[in-house]
Amino acid sequence: MTTRDQQWLEDRLKVVWQRGFADLVPGNRVVIKFGRVAKTRLGSIRMSRDKSVSKILINRLFISSQVPEEVVDGTIAHELVHYLHGFSSPFEQKYCSPHAGGVVTKELKQRGFSETLFSQRRWLKTHWLPLLREHVSLRRRPPPRKRSRQLPRAL
């Protein structure tokens, strides 16, 4: 079994890039790392202030071998579409919003990721919440109690 570490993640980025984005010449350095555990965010992309690096962050739960590689690859491809469309990249921004009118899904399908999208959605629908429950407390914390202000006692 392969260890899901930084090298594995970088290898997945290379595979996804070669599979569906071979025509995309990077306008800056693109790096990928595991980010924090999140309930609803599978990945994100940010650009450095000097615009020299675009960083893709992938949900830390993807380290678990319970998450199929197809789910990881679909998330990486999703973030690469944002990069291609000019979000967190040096390219001209093609749309006013990163998900306007389903442009990400359309682009992924055009680039041959239809089956990946289908598998990813099916897996997430049935397995994501149980995986979260296993690794993260989903209980909402009660709001902090307000401490009553006590007046000093009269002498």
Side-chain angles (χ1 to χ4, degrees):
M1 183 184 281
T2 307
T3 304
R4 292 191 175 188
D5 57 8
Q6 181 61 34
Q7 186 58 54
W8 176 84
L9 194 57
E10 290 170 10
D11 291 344
R12 295 311 315 153
L13 175 62
K14 287 176 190 169
V15 167
V16 171
W17 203 305
Q18 289 169 354
R19 177 180 157 202
F21 298 88
D23 61 324
L24 175 60
V25 178
N28 64 349
R29 195 166 140 243
V30 178
V31 298
I32 188 165
K33 296 185 184 227
F34 286 107
R36 64 184 181 87
V37 170
K39 297 173 191 173
T40 59
R41 185 170 300 219
L42 303 181
S44 64
I45 185 166
R46 297 282 178 253
M47 190 162 53
S48 63
R49 289 180 193 247
D50 65 359
K51 301 182 190 300
S52 65
V53 178
S54 290
K55 183 192 290 187
I56 297 172
L57 294 174
I58 300 298
N59 193 313
R60 184 161 295 279
L61 282 180
F62 287 1
I63 288 174
S64 170
S65 60
Q66 293 175 291
V67 180
E69 279 188 1
E70 215 163 28
V71 173
V72 178
D73 291 354
T75 302
I76 294 170
H78 181 105
E79 299 311 325
L80 285 176
V81 169
H82 288 316
Y83 181 80
L84 171 71
H85 288 171
F87 294 94
S88 296
S89 77
F91 303 126
E92 184 179 338
Q93 196 171 307
K94 291 185 178 180
Y95 304 99
C96 60
S97 168
H99 295 102
V103 293
V104 174
T105 302
K106 289 175 190 171
E107 186 80 39
L108 286 171
K109 287 179 179 178
Q110 286 174 356
R111 291 181 173 272
F113 288 94
S114 294
E115 185 58 37
T116 303
L117 278 173
F118 177 76
S119 298
Q120 181 184 39
R121 286 181 182 150
R122 185 177 56 214
W123 187 89
L124 288 169
K125 188 174 185 175
T126 58
H127 296 92
W128 185 246
L129 277 177
L131 182 68
L132 274 170
R133 285 188 187 109
E134 185 180 321
H135 289 76
V136 180
S137 171
L138 294 180
R139 230 175 4 132
R140 289 193 180 244
R141 292 187 181 117
R145 296 169 96 192
K146 288 187 178 181
R147 292 171 51 184
S148 60
R149 238 174 123 184
Q150 293 182 351
L151 297 173
R153 289 186 200 165
L155 294 174

